[in-house]
Amino acid sequence: MSACLEMTGAHTSHGARDVLADITLSVEAGELVCLVGPNGAGKSTLLKLAAGVLPACTGMVCLAGSDAAGLPARERAHHMAWLAQERSAAWAMRGVDMVALGRFAREGRPYERLPEKARALVNEAIARCGASAFAHRAVDTLSGGEKARIHLARVLAAGAPLLLLDEPLNALDPRHQIDVMNLLRAEAAGGTAIVLAMHDLAMARRHADRVIVLDEGRIAASGPPDTAFSAAILADVFGVQSAPDGGFAPV
Amino acid sequence: MMAIRINLALGLLASAAVLLALSVNGGGADLIALLSADAGNDLARILVLEIRLPRILSAFGVGAALGLAGAALQGLLRNPLADPGVLGVSGASALGAVIAVYFNLAALSVWALPGLAIVMALGVTALLYTLGARSVSTTRLILVGVGLSSLAGSVMALLMNLAPNPFSLSDLVNWLLGSVANRSWADIGFAAPFWAAGVTLVLMAAPGLRALTLGEEGASGLGANVSRIRLLVITGTALLTGASVAVAGIIGFVGIVAPHVMRPFVHHDPGDLLVPSALFAGTVLVLADTAVRVLPFAMEMKLGVAAALIGAPAFIWIAARARGIGQ
C-alpha cells in the first residue's frame, strides 16, 4: 500500500525567496508526525502543498499514491482534510453547519439536510471535540478556543485517512490542548495519518511518533522525538536546550 | 427543513403582492370581471392581461434576478456589500442600452437595446474575471468593479452631455432612472431565456458558495473547484443583470438589501440564501412598483428612483454596521 502522503523533492518559492527547498518525506497510515520549526520555517506552506491548495514549483506531492496536482479538488479532499491556520469565517454560520462543511467533498449540504449517517459522523466529531454545548450557536458568538474546537471537529468529520493540521492547539487552554492531543493519538491508533504543525516542543516530544524539524524551508532533522531533538538541533534551530524538568531552556 | 419553509412562505408573500398589485387603482373590478368570464369584457382582459400583468411580472423578474445576482456575488466575494451595481455590471449594461438609444440603433432592430445591454454585462464580467481570477484577493475585484462603474457612469454622462436634442436626452434619462411602466410580454419574453440560464448557473454554484465561507484556499482544501464556482457565478450574474437592465434600466440596491434581510432566516448559509433573496427582492420590487402607481404625483415616480430612495439609506446602514468589509 502506498503512503498516505509522499513528497519528493518538493520546492516552492515566493518571489526570489525559497520558502521550501527539496522536501522529501513520507507519512504512513497510523503515524502521528509533529512538524516543528521557528516562525517562517515553512510549516504552513508544507501543509498547504500537501493539501494541494498550493502547487509545488518543482517536485512531486502524492496522496495515497496519486499525484496531488493532477487530482480534481473533490477527489483530493477524499484523501486528506486540512485545517488552515487562518480560521476566519466570512458569514456567521452555526457551528454545526461549519462542521458539516467537513463533509463538503461527499455531501456539500448544511447540517439539517445531511443524510442520517453523515449527520451521525458530524455529531460524533462534535462530541469528541467537546463542542456539543455550543455547536448550535453562530460561530461569531464563540470564543477563540470554542472556534478552534469547532474547526477541529470539521476536519475530523471528513473521515479522511490523512489529517493536515496547522497549529490546532492555538487558542486552546492547557486542559483542552491535552484533550486534543489524546484525541489525535486515538485517531492515529485507528489508522489515520496525522501531520501536525505546532510550536510546543515538549508536547511534540511527548506525543509524536516522529518529529520533522523544519528550518528555513529545509528539513533539518526527522525521526523519533529523542533523535530529532538532538542537542545540536535544539541549539541551532531553536536556540534552546533540554532542561532537567523535561522542558526547554534558552541556551 | 427550514430553507424550504422559508421559500414557501416567501412564495406565498410574492403571490399576495402580485394580487395586491393587480387590485389597486380599481384593478379589482377588472379582475373580477375577467374571472367571471364575461365574454363581452375585452377592456378588462386587455387591462389585466396585456397591461398590468406584464408590468407586475417585469417588476418581479427584475427584482428576483437582481436579488439572486446580489446574493451570489456576496457569497463569491464574501462581502455583504457586493452586488451587480457595486461591481459595475449594471452600469456597463446600462451604458450598452444608452449607446443603443443615443445612436438610434434601437430604431434599426428591437433586439439592439436588450442585446447591447446583455453583451456589455457579459463583457464587463469577463473583464472582471480575467483581472480578478489571477489574484487571490476579492478586494481587488471589488475595487476594479468600482472603477468600471465610474467609467460607465462617466461615458453615460458624456453621451447625455452631447445629446443632440431634448428628446433624446429625456429618452436617456428615462432609461437611467429605471422603470417597468408599459412593459409588454415581448420584453419579458426576450429576458426570460437569459434569466433562466442565469438562475441555472448561479444555483449550480450554491454548494460551492457554502464552502467559500472558509475563503478560497479553505474552500479548495474542502474539495471545491474554486475557479469553476467563480465562472458559474460571474457568468450567471452577468446574464441576470444584463437581462434585467434590458427590461427596466438601472434599479439599484435591491441586490444588496434583499440578501442582508434574508440572511438570518437561513442561518447565514450563503447557499441557502440564494432563492429566498430572489423571492424577497422580487416581492419588494412588485410592492415598490405598486406604491409608485398609487402615489398621487403629477408625474409617475420612476421605480428605480423609489428603489434608490429606500435602498441607499439601507446600504449606508449595512455598510456602517458590517464587520470585516474588504477582508
Side-chain angles (χ1 to χ4, degrees), chain A residues 18-71:
Chain A
D18 286 344
V19 181
L20 286 176
D22 195 24
I23 301 289
T24 297
L25 59 86
S26 149
V27 181
E28 305 287 337
E31 230 185 339
L32 197 162
V33 177
C34 284
L35 192 58
V36 296
N39 293 329
K43 301 186 292 294
S44 297
T45 308
L46 193 150
L47 291 179
K48 283 183 188 178
L49 279 189
V53 298
L54 196 75
C57 297
T58 56
M60 183 102 143
V61 177
C62 285
L63 291 168
S66 28
D67 182 4
L71 286 175

Side-chain angles (χ1 to χ4, degrees), chain A residues 68-88:
Chain A
L71 286 175
R74 183 174 296 268
E75 208 170 313
R76 216 170 49 217
H78 291 166
H79 291 300
M80 62 81 209
W82 169 58
L83 176 67
Q85 200 177 350
E86 167 72 43
R87 277 161 229 163
S88 64

Side-chain angles (χ1 to χ4, degrees), chain B residues 138-149:
Chain B
T138 54
T139 312
R140 180 183 301 187
L141 207 60
I142 290 182
L143 290 177
V144 171
V146 169
L148 284 171
S149 195

Side-chain angles (χ1 to χ4, degrees), chain A residues 79-111:
Chain A
H79 291 300
M80 62 81 209
W82 169 58
L83 176 67
Q85 200 177 350
E86 167 72 43
R87 277 161 229 163
S88 64
W91 310 111
M93 280 162 70
R94 289 173 309 167
V96 282
D97 289 328
M98 191 60 76
V99 179
L101 273 184
R103 306 286 310 164
F104 180 81
R106 294 174 199 280
E107 283 96 15
R109 291 180 225 160
Y111 178 74

